[in-house]
Amino acid sequence: MVNRFFRYVLTAGLMLAGACLFAPAYAAPAIDVSSARLGQHTDKTRFVLEMSAAPQYDVFLLAEPYRIVIDLPELNWRADEDAGRKKGLVENYRFGLFKKDTSRVVLDVGGPVKILRTVILPPSSGKPYRFFIDIQKTDEASFRKELAARRSQQKNTQVAIVAPEPPVNSRKYTIVVDAGHGGIDPGAIGKSGVYEKKITLGVAKRMHDILSKNKKYNVIMTRNDDTFLSLRERVAVGRHAGADLFVSIHADSISRPDFRGSTVYTLSENASDDEAAELAKSENKSDLIAGVDMSVQDDTVQGILIDLAQRETMNFSVKFAEMIIPEISKSGMKTRGRSHRFAGFRVLKAPDVPSVLVELGYLSNREDEKILKSGTGQQRLAQAIVNAIDRYFKTVDP
Ligand SMILES: [Zn+2]
């Protein structure tokens, strides 16, 4: 009886699995990661991934701060997070989607290291495929040499930025909506554990939908799924599109749980206050978190921050920023005391595109988080920013 019951469960389970396998819409990543762990040995630190198949991979080093990056195909991550994480030379590690078809693991190492070997072992004694990377401490000069060697080997993995279709009507305004963070970079983490990257995408998508209904607008999203984009790529999307406006959406978290409300930021070489400077520093960390090589940068972004063209652009950015705040107030969301502030946000550095960064609210505050997580809250905030966009274009181009 029991046996027959189990046979039934098993058959039903197999049928279900079969149905999933053959359903055309079901496109799960082919490789599962069942375990990820760090091990400290006397002469090396080892990082191991257990996987259902042997993937292609690419390993490289990054400096400032010292990191090891492992790029793999898109993975189905089922592994538990390694308790405590810090072990041997590895202080922390993270993983996630870096871009379509590429999952990335970033190991933060406290100093210069040398990669002793990377190897994939085939399944044996009940274990699946295992990817190993062994690392050892080294000196700065050897690290730099290895870094340069691996960089020259590495194929160009930069994401091509596709120029958008030219607007049908040349008098259309092009608006770039930038959902902050994504993929391997979760952004801030809320009281309930919600990720900033999810909130920003939710609001950005809603903005896209509202804006797209207006024939005057050509709307471009920097991302519309859970992928990572470097800050430079985000800026480039705006510049390539010849955008009239760039709006970056974020939701911060802070150690003070009583802090709440929206703040709008524009670019400046001098931060308006310590809090703004601190925030810019943390938002600029996005590339670092995702293992982007920050030593190779586009000159336009890294170069001169303020020139004449940019000064004019900044005037427009400020004008727009000041229109957002009253709209957000009307939406029911609180706004901060000085609700327009400025600092050196890298994502706002296009010299020719008026750009603002909206911190919708604090995920560290219970009330704010509730609004930010809810569909109605997101819709209201999206509508508020769109109202400001409408007002802005009426003012600058009546
Ligand atoms: Zn953010």
Side-chain angles (χ1 to χ4, degrees):
M1 181 66 201
V2 171
N3 259 335
R4 205 188 301 158
F5 173 71
F6 272 113
R7 205 172 303 141
Y8 167 75
V9 171
L10 191 66
T11 315
L14 283 174
M15 278 167 70
L16 199 66
C20 287
L21 275 175
F22 294 112
Y26 187 74
I31 303 176
D32 286 341
V33 176
S34 51
S35 160
R37 60 178 183 270
L38 281 163
Q40 192 182 358
H41 303 251
T42 45
D43 54 338
K44 62 182 177 261
T45 301
R46 172 172 283 180
F47 177 71
V48 187
L49 293 176
E50 290 190 356
M51 299 191 242
S52 60
Q56 295 268 9
Y57 64 88
D58 192 13
V59 176
F60 58 97
L61 299 164
L62 291 174
E64 289 132 39
Y66 300 102
R67 286 157 293 165
I68 296 171
V69 178
I70 309 157
D71 278 347
L72 299 141
E74 202 170 322
L75 300 171
N76 202 358
W77 197 282
R78 300 178 186 284
D80 284 338
E81 302 198 5
D82 204 335
R85 287 270 173 105
K86 182 177 164 46
K87 221 170 232 175
L89 300 169
V90 178
E91 299 191 331
N92 192 11
Y93 72 87
R94 56 197 163 269
F95 54 83
L97 196 62
F98 180 66
K99 60 183 187 216
K100 198 175 165 6
D101 305 324
T102 306
S103 285
R104 174 167 281 192
V105 180
V106 182
L107 309 176
D108 295 322
V109 284
V113 291
K114 149 164 112 189
I115 296 168
L116 293 175
R117 62 168 189 160
T118 55
V119 70
I120 296 181
L121 295 181
S124 71
S125 47
K127 294 268 188 193
Y129 286 94
R130 279 146 300 155
F131 168 89
F132 287 87
I133 178 166
D134 287 342
I135 57 172
Q136 202 172 54
K137 225 181 208 149
T138 189
D139 58 87
E140 184 66 31
S142 319
F143 176 82
R144 294 280 163 183
K145 227 166 113 185
E146 176 80 2
L147 185 139
R150 284 189 186 257
R151 181 177 288 157
S152 65
Q153 272 173 29
Q154 211 192 323
K155 52 195 183 302
N156 190 1
T157 53
Q158 276 176 21
V159 187
I161 290 154
V162 184
E165 311 246 308
V168 189
N169 176 344
S170 61
R171 270 168 295 171
K172 273 192 170 190
Y173 301 116
T174 299
I175 298 151
V176 173
V177 182
D178 174 48
H181 311 277
I184 189 169
D185 168 24
I189 298 170
K191 275 238 172 256
S192 70
V194 69
Y195 287 157
E196 177 182 357
K197 66 175 182 180
K198 215 180 144 193
I199 306 283
T200 62
L201 185 61
V203 174
K205 278 186 170 167
R206 288 167 192 275
M207 282 177 65
H208 172 273
D209 293 349
I210 305 169
L211 287 164
S212 299
K213 287 189 192 132
N214 189 331
K215 289 192 171 62
K216 278 194 316 211
Y217 300 139
N218 174 34
V219 196
I220 297 167
M221 305 268 286
T222 53
R223 67 174 178 105
N224 49 27
D225 56 15
D226 186 23
T227 20
F228 173 81
L229 268 168
S230 70
L231 297 172
R232 184 171 67 96
E233 285 164 342
R234 294 171 195 267
V235 176
V237 170
R239 299 204 65 217
H240 284 244
D244 297 287
L245 214 49
F246 178 95
V247 190
S248 190
I249 304 296
H250 290 259
D252 196 17
S253 173
I254 201 167
S255 52
R256 294 272 310 267
D258 53 322
F259 272 32
R260 61 174 301 197
S262 305
T263 319
V264 182
Y265 292 87
T266 53
L267 180 68
S268 166
E269 52 184 336
N270 303 311
S272 52
D273 53 82
D274 290 351
E275 197 191 320
E278 205 47 50
L279 179 75
K281 219 164 97 191
S282 105
E283 294 292 8
N284 290 348
K285 262 192 198 148
S286 178
D287 285 355
L288 190 152
I289 287 164
V292 172
D293 191 350
M294 287 149 78
S295 62
V296 277
Q297 287 295 348
D298 185 333
D299 291 341
T300 21
V301 178
Q302 212 179 30
I304 317 146
L305 180 55
I306 311 280
D307 63 4
L308 274 175
Q310 190 146 47
R311 221 174 270 282
E312 199 186 314
T313 304
M314 281 164 66
N315 290 338
F316 284 106
S317 306
V318 168
K319 200 173 273 187
F320 176 50
E322 282 168 358
M323 289 176 180
I324 300 177
I325 295 146
E327 294 295 338
I328 287 184
S329 281
K330 275 190 254 167
S331 82
M333 187 68 166
K334 291 244 182 311
T335 48
R336 291 289 306 279
R338 273 173 303 118
S339 39
H340 171 213
R341 301 179 191 210
F342 34 90
F345 292 90
R346 289 191 51 225
V347 77
L348 302 179
K349 283 190 181 176
D352 42 7
V353 183
S355 307
V356 305
L357 185 144
V358 184
E359 291 284 352
L360 296 168
Y362 287 99
L363 288 173
S364 41
N365 176 275
R366 245 176 241 291
E367 284 93 334
D368 272 13
E369 194 200 32
K370 217 170 126 191
I371 297 172
L372 293 168
K373 275 171 75 177
S374 77
T376 31
Q378 291 187 5
Q379 187 69 22
R380 279 196 187 147
L381 283 161
Q383 184 64 58
I385 301 168
V386 170
N387 292 347
I389 293 173
D390 291 339
R391 271 187 62 200
Y392 171 78
F393 285 114
K394 270 181 202 140
T395 321
V396 296
D397 197 4

